[in-house]
C-alpha cells in the first residue's frame, strides 16, 4: 500500500479549493443564485454549490482516481470506477454558508478535508469573499495565510465570546433557542456567523473564544475541526464523547470544561 503524504493531500486540497472559490465568486458576481431547497424550506442549495462540488470531484478524480468523496451535494461515491485499497476519503462542503452566499453576506467558504483510515489528516477552509485561507496538517499546527494559530486564552465563561449555529429543522431550532436562553446570561455574547467551517476557523484564530453546534454534518466540521484542534483547542462532543451530529464543541481546554458543564445538562 502506497504511503499517503498528508502535506501532498493538503496541496491538492488547497489547489482545488482555490479553483472552486474562484468559480463561486464568479457566479455570485453574475448573480447566479438560482435556489432550490433541501431538508426543509429554509435549507437552500444553489447552482453554485453543485458546480463547485463537481469541479472539486473532477479534480480529485483526475489526480487520485481511486479515492472517495463525501460531498454535501452528492453523497458518498467513488471518484474513479473502484475505490483503491489505500483510498483517501475526501470530505467536502462546496459552499458552507449557503444562506450567506444567497444574500451576499461575506461569510461563506469552501471546506475540504482528507481522511485516511478514519482520521482527518489535512484540511483547508477558504472564505470565498475575503480570500482568507486556513489550513492544517495533523501534527503540524494550524495556519492562516502563513500565520500560526493558537486559539483564545480566555478561561472564564463571563469573558467568553461563543460562536454557534442553528440547523434547518424547526424542532431542532426550538431546542437550540432554548439552549441559548440558558447560556446567554452567563457568557460575554454569542456570534452566529452562518458557516460552521468559518466558525471553527474563527475559534482556531481566537476571533471567538469557543464554538458549539448541534446537528453538524461531517463535511461541515472535518476541515475546520482539524484546524481548531491543531490550534490547541479541544474539539469534542459532550461528556467525553467525540465530535458528531449530537454536538461539536471547540474550545481551549479550561473553557472547554466550563462549557461542557454548562451544555451537558441542557442536552441530556
Ligand atoms: C450550514 C452552516 C451553518 C450551520 C448549519 C450548516 P450550509 O451549512 O454551516 O452555519 O449553522 O448547521 O448546515 O447548509 O450552509 O452548507
Amino acid at each position: 500500500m502506497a504511503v499517503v503524504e498528508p502535506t501532498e493531500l493538503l496541496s491538492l486540497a488547497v489547489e482545488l479549493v482555490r479553483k472552486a472559490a474562484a468559480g463561486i465568486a464568479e457566479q455570485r458576481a453574475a448573480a447566479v443564485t438560482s435556489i432550490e431547497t433541501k431538508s426543509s424550506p429554509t435549507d437552500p442549495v444553489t447552482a453554485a454549490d453543485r458546480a463547485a462540488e463537481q469541479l472539486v470531484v473532477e479534480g480529485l478524480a483526475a489526480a487520485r482516481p481511486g479515492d472517495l468523496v463525501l460531498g454535501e451535494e452528492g453523497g458518498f461515491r467513488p471518484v474513479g470506477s473502484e475505490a483503491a485499497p489505500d483510498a483517501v476519503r475526501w470530505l467536502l462542503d462546496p459552499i458552507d454558508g449557503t444562506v450567506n452566499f444567497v444574500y451576499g453576506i461575506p461569510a461563506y467558504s469552501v471546506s475540504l478535508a482528507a481522511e485516511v483510515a478514519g482520521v482527518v489528516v489535512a484540511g483547508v477552509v477558504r472564505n470565498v469573499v475575503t480570500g482568507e485561507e486556513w489550513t492544517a496538517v495533523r501534527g503540524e499546527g494550524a495556519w492562516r495565510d502563513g500565520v500560526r494559530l493558537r486559539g483564545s486564552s480566555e478561561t472564564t465563561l463571563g469573558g467568553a465570546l461563543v460562536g454557534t449555529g442553528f440547523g434547518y429543522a424547526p424542532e431542532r431550532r426550538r431546542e437550540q433557542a432554548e439552549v441559548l436562553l440558558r447560556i446567554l446570561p452567563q457568557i460575554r455574547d454569542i456570534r452566529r456567523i452562518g458557516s460552521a467551517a468559518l466558525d471553527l476557523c474563527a475559534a482556531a484564530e481566537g476571533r471567538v473564544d469557543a464554538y458549539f453546534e448541534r446537528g453538524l454534518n461531517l463535511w461541515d466540521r472535518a476541515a475546520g475541526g482539524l484546524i481548531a484542534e491543531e490550534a490547541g483547542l479541544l474539539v469534542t462532543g459532550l461528556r467525553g464523547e467525540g465530535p458528531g451530529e449530537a454536538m461539536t464543541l471547540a474550545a481551549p481546554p479550561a473553557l472547554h470544561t466550563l462549557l461542557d458543564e454548562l451544555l451537558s445538562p441542557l442536552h441530556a
Side-chain angles (χ1 to χ4, degrees), residues 151-152 161-163 191 193 199 202-211 233:
S152 158
L161 185 62
V162 181
R191 287 292 177 273
I193 293 171
D199 287 319
E205 186 149 3
R207 288 180 180 173
V208 293
D209 296 300
Y211 163 73
L233 277 62

Side-chain angles (χ1 to χ4, degrees), residues 7-156:
T7 48
E8 284 172 24
L9 299 177
L10 180 66
S11 301
L12 175 60
V14 165
E15 181 194 322
L16 294 174
V17 159
R18 287 181 184 172
K19 281 189 190 155
I24 293 164
E26 271 173 30
Q27 297 222 11
R28 177 67 224 180
V32 183
T33 53
S34 57
I35 309 164
E36 291 165 40
T37 54
K38 293 189 294 184
S39 63
S40 84
T42 51
D43 180 6
V45 58
T46 65
D49 286 270
R50 295 206 170 105
E53 179 156 321
Q54 193 182 340
L55 185 148
V56 174
V57 168
E58 284 173 7
L60 291 171
R64 300 185 48 89
D67 285 358
L68 308 163
V69 181
L70 178 64
E72 179 172 19
E73 311 310 340
F76 186 82
R77 58 195 149 163
V79 171
S81 48
E82 217 174 284
D86 58 348
V88 171
R89 187 166 74 142
W90 296 89
L91 307 165
L92 168 67
D93 195 340
I95 303 182
D96 186 48
T98 306
V99 174
N100 287 343
F101 170 78
V102 169
Y103 281 80
I105 297 169
Y108 46 95
S109 59
V110 185
S111 171
L112 181 60
E115 185 193 70
V116 176
V119 178
V120 176
V121 296
V124 53
V125 174
R126 185 177 177 91
N127 181 319
V128 173
V129 183
T130 66
E132 290 170 302
E133 192 174 83
W134 293 264
T135 57
V137 164
R138 187 165 292 282
E140 295 187 14
W143 303 81
R144 199 256 297 152
D145 304 318
V147 178
R148 182 137 192 199
L149 307 178
R150 305 215 179 260
S152 158
S153 52
E154 181 57 51
T155 57
T156 67

Side-chain angles (χ1 to χ4, degrees), residues 159-183:
L161 185 62
V162 181
T164 193
F166 309 118
Y168 290 109
E171 191 45 46
R172 170 61 51 81
R173 289 181 163 191
R174 188 167 296 116
E175 289 163 17
Q176 287 171 319
E178 278 160 16
V179 170
L180 276 190
L181 276 180
R182 305 291 292 276
I183 70 163

